[in-house]
Amino acid sequence: MRIMNKSDLPSLKRSVDQGTEEQRKSVQTIIARVKHEGDEAVRAFTEQFDGVTLEDMKVTKEEFEQAYQSVDGEFVSILEEAAANIRSFHEKQKTSSWFDTNSDGTMLGQKITPIEAAGVYVPGGTAAYPSSVFMNVIPAQVAGVEKIAMVTPPGKDGRVPDGVLLAAHILGVDHVYKVGGAQAVAALAYGTETIPAVDKITGPGNVFVALAKREVFGDVDIDMIAGPSEIAVLADETAKAEEIAADLLSQAEHDARSSSVLVTTSPELAEDVKEAVLQQVEKLPRKEIAGKSVEDYGMIVLCRDHEEAVAAVNEIAPEHLEVMTAAPFDDLGKIKHAGAIFLGPYSSEPVGDYFAGPNHVLPTNGTARFSSPLNVDDFVKKSSIISYSEQALKTHADKIARFARLEGLEGHARAVEIRKERWT
Amino acid sequence: MRIMNKSDLPSLKRSVDQGTEEQRKSVQTIIARVKHEGDEAVRAFTEQFDGVTLEDMKVTKEEFEQAYQSVDGEFVSILEEAAANIRSFHEKQKTSSWFDTNSDGTMLGQKITPIEAAGVYVPGGTAAYPSSVFMNVIPAQVAGVEKIAMVTPPGKDGRVPDGVLLAAHILGVDHVYKVGGAQAVAALAYGTETIPAVDKITGPGNVFVALAKREVFGDVDIDMIAGPSEIAVLADETAKAEEIAADLLSQAEHDARSSSVLVTTSPELAEDVKEAVLQQVEKLPRKEIAGKSVEDYGMIVLCRDHEEAVAAVNEIAPEHLEVMTAAPFDDLGKIKHAGAIFLGPYSSEPVGDYFAGPNHVLPTNGTARFSSPLNVDDFVKKSSIISYSEQALKTHADKIARFARLEGLEGHARAVEIRKERWT
């Protein structure tokens, strides 16, 4: 983990490569085939990429039951408590349709309607993520989405991790399909005999999943393309080096391309954190991943003063930001770009990954400059409502017609003017 | 304009082609060159595609002044009144940061921050669209976006339409660049010596603009990819055929690929509207475009009953929907998917294009199933706030650690547990 002076760094902006031309071509082929051949193509690609011949893509009642039996009751209650916290936080995000009336009889407003069907991609791979199930499904449920389908790649044994099924079961999601990769995204976008088409696909995945989501975007909606995890810690001399190191490593262990950055004005803290990271990483089960991540993408940025430090954080626009300074709330107003902001020494990043309530699906790769954590608004859409009265049209018809003619759209002008026959 | 029975139509879902592989390649090349060569590439492509050698890309004070002088004061007041209406409607969309506290000292919330810089694409071509300027810029201004840059293609004379400059001037936007096409999108996404990089690009354009927006998506945010205009009218025998015909043609005149559909249960109305469209289209200045549009994409869908008619409308998920029935408000709750809903006989679609207040940048091509009119939320982003207290962490640390271990993420568990040293 290098210690660098901020002034020596040209840019802290991160840009992670999102796939090669070859990968893109391959994803296009997969999508085209799933679109036209349906289940048959899904089965073929699952055999090719996951090494599994699927008899039944859909998870059965027995499999859910088995997953439920595989863990003890105490763990089920932890999951249920987490789900309740997440639900409670997202309930507070709900917005209502609204309207506004004018004395001339005009009514204008916005009607909020949930999307009808959502699809959730739950990644497989090295770790099973029941928390991904919660974080993607609960906002959709709170928004009022009626149909929720989940896809997740099968293991070599053709099974899906118990934790994922348990989480789905707790939320009452029973449409779970053992399909992953670009073929799963294509199936959700266009539908197959077995997998229903949805209107929006969310959830993280590998580069093929990310590329597939980008391809189907427009035919369906997607959440932001997820990159590797990121954490930035803004800390002063009041923070504990061991805690910062542990938090940095919690993100580094996700992916060798994860990024963990300490931003500080304290040279002492910088040295201590560097040391603590080196010591702690050795003891981690995922030390190879975490070690490579901190070596390649870990950094300690030493700043001249607090102002420069805050500016550095905004330049990074991190997915997760921890503020471990003497007065973290004083810094909140200065932070412009971050997916989630963890304030104070007790708000360790994993608190937000599982339990506190806010969503862990967050903008990465600097996209916190313009995008938000997954939230209830992502699963509703608005329709504008326009109700003009006779009086309102009488008052404004000529102005609207003149505006239309300036834009060269005579048909628009006439559509308004033809109503004048009603009162002349 | 064909009259079809709903029961004979397999699907009303519309899908407009979004460009060829060749166009896509060309757009990728343009973007790569602008990204690396900056202004030089922008100038070269403007020469190639617009046939104009740009001396100065940026619109000067004199050009704004000239545009302002080119129209009479009455028209300026119409524009100002429209801008005020649009601003007033969008002001009502603003949301606030919020937080929630728990007796254990936990504070959770969402912090709302405007994006820093937005770029607006204003199309050129057959008509000048000052209304596009209003509809894209005002939501950004209301959201609190500080830097707004506008691009619009120059005409053969190297000039930008007066109406567009006037609209920008009224809103106080002075960063306007005479650049269009994919090169303009690339310039806004990555910045050049002259054109500043932005965080989000909105506004409609031709297929090259749409493809370019799709390419840069992820590096910057974009609004939905815009397709040709669409209108659906849900009407019963209480509606006037001539008014419906005029409204259908107001969208048909936009583009030969625009879609205009009447959905009704009345065979009489169907015949009358068909007749009225044929008569009115002949008298339109843009009759070639409008005529081709109604011939290729115009349709009258005759339904068995009102329920089938509403279902047809939801299947189309139109950009604009007019409800011209005996009791339009009774139908509002049944409409699930539409960009903007115009209620009653006086709410002619052009009322919303220019003047009423709601945005005219609306989801097309069936995307109203999952997306919304351009609005203030599009120009802000949320950050989750998590402040855990010592007591909260004491209560929940073991549960969080257990959850993390189930996901195979030991480093996450340790980050939480290392805090326990503070109280043991």
Side-chain angles (χ1 to χ4, degrees):
Chain A
M1 209 158 190
R2 296 153 295 157
I3 301 179
M4 305 282 287
N5 286 314
K6 170 70 181 85
S7 49
D8 296 336
L9 291 164
S11 168
L12 291 171
K13 217 171 161 180
R14 179 169 155 87
S15 185
V16 180
D17 180 42
Q18 297 280 8
T20 63
E21 188 58 32
E22 194 182 341
Q23 287 169 329
R24 190 163 157 164
K25 280 256 178 293
S26 151
V27 163
Q28 286 172 344
T29 307
I30 294 168
I31 292 172
R33 277 196 52 195
V34 171
K35 199 169 169 178
H36 294 107
E37 298 165 29
D39 280 351
E40 202 186 308
V42 171
R43 280 179 211 283
F45 289 121
T46 304
E47 219 165 297
Q48 183 180 339
F49 298 120
D50 301 296
V52 173
T53 307
L54 290 173
E55 289 196 20
D56 200 352
M57 283 181 216
K58 197 175 173 193
V59 171
T60 62
K61 267 193 186 163
E62 290 69 36
E63 288 173 291
F64 279 118
E65 197 51 46
Q66 205 181 320
Y68 196 76
Q69 300 299 341
S70 73
V71 293
D72 59 273
E74 197 193 319
F75 186 69
V76 173
S77 355
I78 295 176
L79 285 186
E80 282 172 346
E81 191 177 348
N85 288 345
I86 297 164
R87 194 172 298 275
S88 163
F89 184 79
H90 287 81
E91 286 284 356
K92 298 196 180 78
Q93 298 171 358
K94 285 181 82 167
T95 49
S96 298
S97 300
W98 59 268
F99 66 89
D100 192 47
T101 52
N102 186 303
S103 60
D104 69 7
T106 299
M107 194 199 93
L108 304 174
Q110 272 186 334
K111 178 177 190 276
I112 313 267
T113 321
I115 64 170
E116 278 192 356
V120 176
Y121 190 97
V122 179
T126 45
Y129 294 136
S131 58
S132 284
V133 176
F134 285 175
M135 295 296 183
N136 283 278
V137 170
I138 293 173
Q141 288 182 329
V142 171
V145 176
E146 283 182 13
K147 300 172 198 162
I148 297 176
M150 190 182 299
V151 293
T152 190
K156 295 279 172 217
D157 58 355
R159 296 186 64 240
V160 169
D162 285 335
V164 170
L165 293 190
L166 177 60
H169 192 64
I170 286 172
L171 301 184
V173 174
D174 48 15
H175 291 269
V176 181
Y177 303 90
K178 296 184 254 182
V179 180
Q183 60 274 23
V185 174
L188 288 173
Y190 304 109
T192 69
E193 300 88 324
T194 305
I195 300 175
V198 300
D199 299 309
K200 176 157 190 161
I201 302 172
T202 67
N206 63 18
V207 66
F208 292 99
V209 172
L211 286 172
K213 282 166 67 182
R214 184 187 278 271
E215 284 293 325
V216 301
F217 173 61
D219 288 333
V220 298
D221 198 16
I222 60 168
D223 58 348
M224 187 48 59
I225 308 282
S229 293
E230 300 162 2
I231 185 170
V233 179
L234 174 67
D236 61 20
E237 57 291 340
T238 64
K240 286 189 195 293
E242 292 73 24
E243 293 177 356
I244 294 173
D247 291 355
L248 293 174
L249 288 170
S250 78
Q251 294 311 295
E253 75 170 344
H254 270 298
D255 190 314
R257 295 179 306 152
S258 292
S259 142
S260 46
V261 178
L262 167 64
V263 178
T264 186
T265 51
S266 163
E268 252 191 347
L269 186 73
E271 289 295 343
D272 291 350
V273 169
K274 184 179 173 179
E275 193 57 35
V277 165
L278 287 174
Q279 279 180 13
Q280 292 180 22
V281 72
E282 283 308 312
K283 296 175 204 148
L284 280 180
R286 294 165 70 93
K287 67 179 170 190
E288 283 188 23
I289 292 171
K292 188 152 173 47
S293 164
V294 290
E295 201 181 309
D296 292 352
Y297 297 99
M299 198 190 296
I300 296 171
V301 181
L302 202 52
C303 297
R304 198 172 48 233
D305 53 27
H306 192 63
E307 203 186 329
E308 190 182 63
V310 170
V313 164
N314 281 326
E315 200 179 324
I316 297 169
E319 182 190 18
H320 304 97
L321 172 66
E322 290 184 355
V323 183
M324 292 163 88
T325 54
F329 277 91
D330 291 1
D331 291 318
L332 188 53
K334 298 170 195 150
I335 295 158
K336 291 187 196 166
H337 314 300
I341 305 170
F342 296 77
L343 297 168
Y346 302 104
S347 308
S348 176
E349 189 278 336
V351 164
D353 279 344
Y354 304 112
F355 199 79
N359 211 290
H360 81 193
V361 180
L362 296 166
T364 56
N365 213 5
T367 59
R369 292 186 66 83
F370 49 78
S371 51
S372 305
L374 193 66
N375 65 88
V376 171
D377 272 353
D378 290 320
F379 295 98
V380 303
K381 67 273 184 3
K382 300 152 192 160
S383 301
S384 298
I385 307 298
I386 298 170
S387 176
Y388 245 42
S389 65
E390 180 175 355
Q391 193 194 323
L393 194 67
K394 271 185 184 167
T395 312
H396 303 300
D398 290 342
K399 299 181 236 177
I400 297 168
R402 189 157 177 215
F403 201 148
R405 290 198 171 99
L406 179 98
E407 295 200 344
L409 296 170
E410 179 66 23
H412 284 59
R414 290 187 192 170
V416 171
E417 286 174 344
I418 202 168
R419 265 84 178 172
K420 290 167 81 173
E421 289 168 22
R422 285 176 175 254
W423 55 78
T424 49
Chain B
M1 211 160 189
R2 298 152 296 159
I3 300 178
M4 306 281 289
N5 287 313
K6 170 71 183 81
S7 49
D8 296 335
L9 291 163
S11 168
L12 292 172
K13 219 173 160 176
R14 176 168 157 87
S15 185
V16 180
D17 181 39
Q18 297 281 3
T20 63
E21 187 58 30
E22 194 182 343
Q23 287 169 328
R24 191 162 154 164
K25 280 257 179 290
S26 150
V27 163
Q28 286 171 345
T29 307
I30 293 169
I31 292 172
R33 276 195 54 193
V34 171
K35 199 170 171 178
H36 293 107
E37 298 165 29
D39 280 350
E40 202 186 310
V42 171
R43 280 179 211 283
F45 290 121
T46 304
E47 218 166 300
Q48 183 179 341
F49 299 121
D50 301 297
V52 174
T53 307
L54 289 173
E55 287 194 27
D56 200 354
M57 284 179 212
K58 196 172 172 192
V59 171
T60 62
K61 268 190 187 165
E62 291 68 37
E63 287 173 291
F64 280 118
E65 198 50 46
Q66 204 181 322
Y68 196 77
Q69 300 299 341
S70 72
V71 292
D72 59 274
E74 197 192 320
F75 187 69
V76 172
S77 4
I78 295 176
L79 284 186
E80 282 171 344
E81 189 176 349
N85 288 346
I86 297 164
R87 194 172 297 276
S88 164
F89 184 78
H90 288 80
E91 286 284 355
K92 298 195 181 77
Q93 299 172 357
K94 284 181 84 167
T95 50
S96 299
S97 300
W98 59 268
F99 66 90
D100 192 47
T101 52
N102 186 303
S103 60
D104 70 5
T106 300
M107 195 199 93
L108 304 174
Q110 271 186 337
K111 178 178 190 274
I112 313 267
T113 321
I115 64 169
E116 278 192 358
V120 176
Y121 190 96
V122 179
T126 45
Y129 293 137
S131 58
S132 285
V133 176
F134 285 174
M135 295 297 185
N136 283 277
V137 170
I138 292 174
Q141 288 182 328
V142 171
V145 176
E146 283 182 12
K147 299 171 199 163
I148 297 175
M150 191 182 296
V151 293
T152 190
K156 296 279 172 218
D157 57 356
R159 295 187 66 243
V160 169
D162 285 334
V164 170
L165 292 190
L166 177 60
H169 191 63
I170 286 173
L171 301 183
V173 174
D174 47 15
H175 292 269
V176 181
Y177 303 91
K178 295 184 255 180
V179 180
Q183 59 274 22
V185 174
L188 288 173
Y190 305 108
T192 69
E193 299 89 323
T194 305
I195 300 174
V198 300
D199 298 310
K200 176 155 190 162
I201 302 172
T202 67
N206 64 17
V207 66
F208 293 99
V209 172
L211 286 172
K213 282 166 68 181
R214 184 188 277 273
E215 285 292 325
V216 301
F217 173 59
D219 289 332
V220 298
D221 198 16
I222 61 168
D223 57 348
M224 187 49 60
I225 308 282
S229 294
E230 300 162 4
I231 185 169
V233 179
L234 174 67
D236 61 20
E237 58 291 339
T238 64
K240 288 192 195 293
E242 291 73 21
E243 293 177 356
I244 295 173
D247 292 354
L248 293 174
L249 287 170
S250 79
Q251 295 311 294
E253 76 171 342
H254 270 298
D255 190 314
R257 295 180 307 153
S258 292
S259 144
S260 46
V261 178
L262 167 64
V263 178
T264 185
T265 51
S266 163
E268 253 191 343
L269 185 73
E271 289 296 345
D272 291 349
V273 169
K274 185 180 171 174
E275 193 57 37
V277 165
L278 287 175
Q279 280 180 12
Q280 292 181 22
V281 74
E282 284 307 313
K283 296 176 203 144
L284 280 181
R286 294 165 70 92
K287 68 179 171 190
E288 283 188 23
I289 293 171
K292 185 150 175 49
S293 163
V294 290
E295 200 180 310
D296 292 350
Y297 297 100
M299 198 190 294
I300 296 171
V301 181
L302 202 53
C303 298
R304 198 172 52 231
D305 53 27
H306 192 62
E307 201 186 331
E308 191 181 63
V310 170
V313 164
N314 282 324
E315 200 178 324
I316 297 170
E319 182 190 16
H320 304 98
L321 172 67
E322 290 184 354
V323 184
M324 292 164 87
T325 54
F329 277 91
D330 291 1
D331 291 317
L332 188 54
K334 299 170 194 151
I335 295 157
K336 290 188 196 166
H337 314 300
I341 305 169
F342 296 78
L343 298 168
Y346 302 103
S347 309
S348 176
E349 191 278 336
V351 164
D353 278 345
Y354 303 111
F355 199 79
N359 211 291
H360 80 193
V361 180
L362 295 165
T364 56
N365 212 7
T367 59
R369 292 185 67 82
F370 50 78
S371 51
S372 305
L374 193 66
N375 64 88
V376 172
D377 272 353
D378 289 321
F379 295 96
V380 303
K381 66 272 185 5
K382 300 153 191 158
S383 300
S384 298
I385 307 297
I386 299 170
S387 176
Y388 244 43
S389 65
E390 180 174 356
Q391 192 193 323
L393 195 66
K394 271 185 183 166
T395 312
H396 303 301
D398 290 343
K399 298 181 238 177
I400 297 168
R402 189 157 176 213
F403 201 149
R405 290 199 170 97
L406 179 99
E407 296 201 343
L409 295 171
E410 179 66 24
H412 285 59
R414 290 187 192 169
V416 171
E417 286 174 344
I418 201 168
R419 265 83 177 173
K420 290 168 79 174
E421 288 170 21
R422 288 178 173 252
W423 55 79
T424 50

